[in-house]
Amino acid sequence: MNYVISMKNNLGYKWYDLCEKDKKIFVKGLFIIDDTIYQGMDLAEYVMAQTTPSLLDSCKLADGHFSIVIYDKSGVTIISDHMRSFPIFIVKSKLYTITDTIDGEYLDMSNFDYVQKRAFENALFTFEEKTLFSNITQVPAGSYCTVSDSGIIFNDYWKFSYAQKQVSDIDTATSIISKGYDKLFSLCKNLVGDRTVVLPLSGGYDSRLVLNGLL
């Protein structure tokens, strides 16, 4: 099976690619693990140095927002972050096209999925890897996908879950939350550096919390 990898959307975060021997990778966004921030070519080099299983273990623990595409002799592996920040689509025809941009050349109304159309009309989204077209799939949040001669296989590496242990002591809960915010804003400080921050301030609790943390 032949593959086409077409990453066109470079608004905001840009795609970076790296090739070594029979392996090529594409990365976008930033990846935070063990309080270290990887982005740009640093992220590409980090991904290149990992085996796929070790990379998935890292993705499970990582913060940030990223999409990763790995192409080697076995096929293509696509990894989406916990939020699906940068959607990746797979178009099935005579060959597989992996792309971040769906435009007219991929849309064939004969492949329109009317079941997903009804889902979208009621829920405003399609479900899991489905799209409005039966020949186009997407990689869900917290998932990775392998594309090979055997077909397309989706797997979860991470799922959202509520805390397994409830903390009923308010002082303990407050301490845990405070430490989490301290870590978050420390990372923000490292990301921002000397740049100016513009914060849309709605007056609600969320934006006031962010302002307080940044200050």
Side-chain angles (χ1 to χ4, degrees):
M1 175 66 72
N2 293 320
Y3 309 94
V4 173
I5 300 177
S6 175
M7 300 305 170
K8 302 177 181 179
N9 186 356
N10 281 300
L11 295 175
Y13 286 99
K14 301 183 185 302
W15 283 101
Y16 291 83
D17 61 89
L18 186 62
C19 184
E20 288 186 5
K21 297 181 180 179
D22 56 356
K23 181 179 179 181
K24 185 168 186 177
I25 62 168
F26 301 81
V27 298
K28 184 175 185 175
L30 61 90
F31 190 96
I32 305 169
I33 190 164
D34 297 330
D35 295 331
T36 301
I37 301 169
Y38 299 92
Q39 55 185 329
M41 286 307 298
D42 288 339
L43 176 56
E45 291 170 359
Y46 177 86
V47 171
M48 182 64 77
Q50 306 291 316
T51 64
T52 299
S54 66
L55 179 60
L56 290 170
D57 287 340
S58 296
C59 290
K60 185 175 182 178
L61 300 173
D63 294 310
H65 36 270
F66 54 86
S67 281
I68 298 169
V69 179
I70 304 169
Y71 172 68
D72 58 27
K73 58 185 178 182
S74 65
V76 181
T77 300
I78 308 160
I79 306 173
S80 177
D81 66 13
H82 300 180
M83 301 179 294
R84 190 171 169 266
S85 303
F86 310 113
I88 302 293
F89 302 92
I90 305 157
V91 184
K92 296 174 285 185
S93 57
K94 293 181 180 179
L95 45 76
Y96 288 122
T97 300
I98 292 91
T99 182
D100 64 347
T101 305
I102 296 296
D103 47 30
E105 66 177 298
Y106 301 125
L107 302 181
D108 182 349
M109 292 307 294
S110 66
N111 292 312
F112 200 78
D113 188 330
Y114 288 92
V115 173
Q116 294 304 315
K117 174 179 179 291
R118 293 195 64 182
F120 187 83
E121 289 171 343
N122 286 278
L124 298 182
F125 57 85
T126 56
F127 292 93
E128 297 179 336
E129 77 277 6
K130 304 293 186 179
T131 71
L132 290 173
F133 292 84
S134 58
N135 68 319
I136 302 175
T137 55
Q138 58 189 340
V139 184
S143 298
Y144 70 98
C145 169
T146 56
V147 185
S148 67
D149 292 344
S150 301
I152 304 174
I153 301 173
F154 293 92
N155 291 281
D156 296 327
Y157 70 84
W158 178 87
K159 274 188 175 295
F160 171 79
S161 63
Y162 292 98
Q164 295 179 349
K165 181 179 179 182
Q166 184 176 358
V167 178
S168 56
D169 175 57
I170 184 114
D171 292 331
T172 302
T174 302
S175 176
I176 292 171
I177 293 170
S178 179
K179 288 178 181 177
Y181 284 136
D182 288 344
K183 177 182 177 181
L184 171 65
F185 288 113
S186 176
L187 289 170
C188 286
K189 179 182 177 181
N190 292 336
L191 282 169
V192 170
D194 295 329
R195 291 176 293 178
T196 299
V197 175
V198 178
L199 175 65
L201 186 62
S202 69
Y205 285 119
D206 292 344
S207 56
R208 281 189 281 176
L209 172 65
V210 172
L211 177 60
N212 181 71
L214 291 174
L215 288 173

